[in-house]
Amino acid sequence: AATRCAHTLKGTSGNIGAHAVQAAAADLDMACKEGAEASEIDRLLSAVLAALQPVLAGLEQLAEGGESATANARPADGAQVDALLSRLQSLLEDDDTDAAEVLEELSAQVAGTPLAAGIRKIEKSVAQYDFEEALDIMAGLEISLTDSGNNQGEGEKG
């Protein structure tokens, strides 16, 4: 039953573009098929649940009120998102196709936040190997991130 569930989750998450969930479920599926020890299965299950959390959070926000509910949403781990954005920019500047992998991770991190739409646009550009356009989109994201940070800081001073 565990193998079947992991296998089904792997396929379903791939169909909806939840690549981080798909990869984690694939690892769990393989471990179940190979008869891995319970401690290894538990570790892999925890990884699946961690990858699934942003997807479920995004779906919950959509169910509660659509895009308007996501307007004030923040990524779960802002420091990790910042690090991924920095890495993405470097890869795009080098026309490096590894940017696609970073984008998959970023998509999971920003699901249900205002950044999600921008990340989807960057993904489309990278899929077409248009790294310049991806950098232009990213520059627009940085402006909106900076503006958000400045507005919050001003509110705290007043």
Side-chain angles (χ1 to χ4, degrees):
T3 304
R4 185 176 40 236
C5 287
H7 184 78
T8 300
L9 180 59
K10 177 180 74 171
T12 303
S13 58
N15 287 339
I16 64 168
H19 302 293
V21 176
Q22 181 183 25
D27 292 343
L28 180 60
D29 180 32
M30 183 67 68
C32 289
K33 286 178 182 174
E34 293 175 352
E37 292 188 24
S39 62
E40 179 66 4
I41 299 289
D42 287 343
R43 185 187 69 76
L44 293 169
L45 180 57
S46 292
V48 169
L49 294 173
L52 193 55
Q53 194 280 327
V55 175
L56 294 174
L59 290 172
E60 184 177 311
Q61 287 180 346
L62 288 173
E64 289 175 356
E67 290 297 318
S68 63
T70 65
N72 296 319
R74 305 295 282 171
D77 186 349
Q80 185 175 7
V81 170
D82 289 344
L84 288 169
L85 286 170
S86 178
R87 172 110 173 96
L88 176 61
Q89 181 158 355
S90 296
L91 292 169
L92 292 174
E93 289 170 350
D94 293 339
D95 295 337
D96 191 329
T97 56
D98 286 345
E101 293 174 18
V102 174
L103 281 164
E104 284 182 24
E105 203 172 336
L106 259 172
S107 287
Q109 289 289 323
V110 302
T113 71
L115 285 175
I119 295 301
R120 283 191 298 271
K121 289 177 186 175
I122 294 171
E123 285 176 318
K124 288 179 184 176
S125 296
V126 169
Q128 296 172 351
Y129 301 100
D130 192 344
F131 298 102
E132 288 300 317
E133 180 178 316
L135 281 167
D136 289 344
I137 295 166
M138 200 164 167
L141 288 179
E142 287 179 18
I143 290 169
S144 66
L145 285 174
T146 303
D147 289 345
S148 297
N150 287 343
N151 290 341
Q152 288 175 345
E154 289 170 12
E156 290 172 7
K157 289 178 190 173

